[in-house]
Amino acid sequence: MDITPWRNQNDVLNVRDWLFPRNSSTKPQTRRKACNQIQAWKLRGGLPHAIESTWYVTEAILTDSAQDRGISALARRACYCTAICRFVTGLVDSEQDSKYKVSMYDKAKELELPASFVELRHESIHGELPSLAVLRQAAERSLGWLWNDYWRHLGDDDLGASELSPFNHGRNIRRDSLRAILQTYLAAYREAVKVSDHRLRSRLVETTALELLEACRANGQASKELVYVLVDEGMIIGSIESHTMNDLYGLWDQLLLRVAESQGQVLALLTDQMIAHLVTSRKSDGTADADQERVLLWLTRVFTAETWEKAARRATLDDVAVVSRCLQNPNPWSIRLATAITKSSRSNIARDLYGPLVAEAEGRLDGAKSMLREDDEHYAAETEHLFDGWQRSNAASGKPIGVL
């Protein structure tokens, strides 16, 4: 007979609903109520590790969200790190065999705990405390993992009480879980760049790639959701104010290569979606459009760079099909992509048959742009006498309006 700190099953189900409420506006109040109840259970002893970990992580979130200026950023980070470290260490250690201990990474893999949690624990203990942005995302993902592993299996079949469940072990991958994985990666990677820690950057790429691959293999829709976050939400193209293309290559190149070399479907979907963005551009005069330019540069890199050759073969990317698609939807961006592909393609059809067609389409576009420039120059010449520089206006006469 198991002795529990709660009186009956309804007590623990009530706490579950308080921790993961339907109404997000009541979340702080109900979570505080749940934490108080769990604290009382802790005094009675026999509290399961999953409930205790949920309590610590939730307390850290509540402390961070409190409108108390007396709580420093360092104190908030320390709260998160303590909660997440206790969650990871307690979970992994409880599953260790005293005779044959395995590494924390291997045991986490057995438990289907994402490796990024172990990495975060390692950095919190042995390195600099992660930033608040990284820790906040990690805390929410911790609650998502605890929900899937423990809370959702309690008692009843009506699990609609939770609006959370962001990490469903691949069975019901949601877009926000993939977004959270990538945002955590970006924040941690930028910190690693600041301190010039190349080994940490390599570990981040590997652990994040493994999480994404796990999601894609477990759920057929996950690859499409990942591409949506990268392309449609603009994550892969960044913002022109804060990212150069070299910045973006540094952030994404190795991660996407790692994923694409193992899961070719991701690269096939990614390039298809980027080409769709490129060929639907309505910029007929080729004027600067930062987003289109960045999409073009990414596609050119994937189809022509030697580093992407292996991944492109695995994804069975078809140079001829892409060039044909660009010619059927000609605009400055699509024709530039077709030109780059035909010049570097190993396909005789793409290079020899489509090359002249692409050159002809490029010539037509150049002619159209030349005509536009001539029209602009003609208009400027015709109107130059009307705008002969800025001049100071004559002083007002001082007479009332309408008086001659």
Side-chain angles (χ1 to χ4, degrees), residues 291-308:
D291 289 351
Q292 295 297 100
E293 182 73 21
R294 289 174 177 225
V295 170
L296 170 66
L297 291 173
W298 266 118
L299 285 167
T300 303
R301 187 176 184 85
V302 170
F303 279 96
T304 64
E306 290 184 7
T307 52
W308 281 88

Side-chain angles (χ1 to χ4, degrees), residues 320-331:
V320 173
V322 174
V323 172
S324 176
R325 187 175 176 186
C326 290
L327 289 173
Q328 291 171 19
N329 301 274
N331 64 41

Side-chain angles (χ1 to χ4, degrees), residues 21-39:
R22 287 188 178 92
N23 187 351
S24 59
S25 64
T26 64
K27 187 180 289 185
Q29 295 90 333
T30 60
R31 280 186 167 178
R32 169 51 57 202
K33 188 176 180 181
C35 287
N36 292 339
Q37 180 62 70
I38 295 172
Q39 186 175 13

Side-chain angles (χ1 to χ4, degrees), residues 231-372:
V231 179
D232 296 78
E233 294 185 359
M235 193 171 281
I236 197 175
I237 62 174
S239 63
I240 194 169
E241 295 83 6
S242 56
H243 298 96
T244 66
M245 283 308 298
N246 285 335
D247 293 334
L248 294 172
Y249 294 150
L251 283 169
W252 295 111
D253 221 38
Q254 292 304 312
L255 177 62
L256 294 178
L257 270 170
R258 175 70 177 82
V259 173
E261 287 175 359
S262 298
Q263 192 79 6
Q265 181 193 19
V266 173
L267 184 58
L269 291 170
L270 182 69
T271 53
D272 184 72
Q273 190 65 4
M274 286 196 289
I275 292 169
H277 277 254
L278 208 63
V279 300
T280 55
S281 170
R282 293 293 178 265
K283 294 277 186 177
S284 59
D285 59 350
T287 54
D289 181 320
D291 289 351
Q292 295 297 100
E293 182 73 21
R294 289 174 177 225
V295 170
L296 170 66
L297 291 173
W298 266 118
L299 285 167
T300 303
R301 187 176 184 85
V302 170
F303 279 96
T304 64
E306 290 184 7
T307 52
W308 281 88
E309 188 175 343
K310 179 181 175 182
R313 281 201 307 270
R314 183 172 182 81
T316 61
L317 300 185
D318 188 342
D319 289 359
V320 173
V322 174
V323 172
S324 176
R325 187 175 176 186
C326 290
L327 289 173
Q328 291 171 19
N329 301 274
N331 64 41
W333 313 105
S334 61
I335 297 304
R336 282 173 62 188
L337 176 61
T339 300
I341 292 176
T342 53
K343 286 181 177 179
S344 63
S345 178
R346 294 185 178 183
S347 165
N348 292 332
I349 296 176
R351 189 176 59 253
D352 300 333
L353 179 61
Y354 279 89
L357 298 176
V358 172
E360 183 181 345
E362 192 174 20
R364 286 198 299 269
L365 280 174
D366 288 340
K369 286 190 286 186
S370 177
M371 291 178 62
L372 285 171

Side-chain angles (χ1 to χ4, degrees), residues 140-200:
E140 291 297 340
R141 290 177 60 214
S142 299
L143 291 183
W145 192 91
L146 287 162
W147 164 266
N148 286 299
D149 190 71
Y150 181 80
W151 291 100
R152 74 188 186 101
H153 301 293
L154 297 179
D156 58 6
D157 295 326
D158 179 18
L159 301 181
S162 174
E163 64 175 13
L164 186 63
S165 191
F167 197 89
N168 285 322
H169 290 235
R171 285 187 287 270
N172 185 27
I173 293 295
R174 294 188 342 185
R175 187 177 298 165
D176 55 355
S177 72
L178 293 165
R179 187 186 302 112
I181 291 172
L182 294 174
Q183 288 173 341
T184 300
Y185 162 76
L186 286 177
Y189 193 93
R190 290 184 183 118
E191 287 192 5
V193 170
K194 287 180 183 177
V195 297
S196 300
D197 192 333
H198 299 289
R199 289 202 306 172
L200 175 58

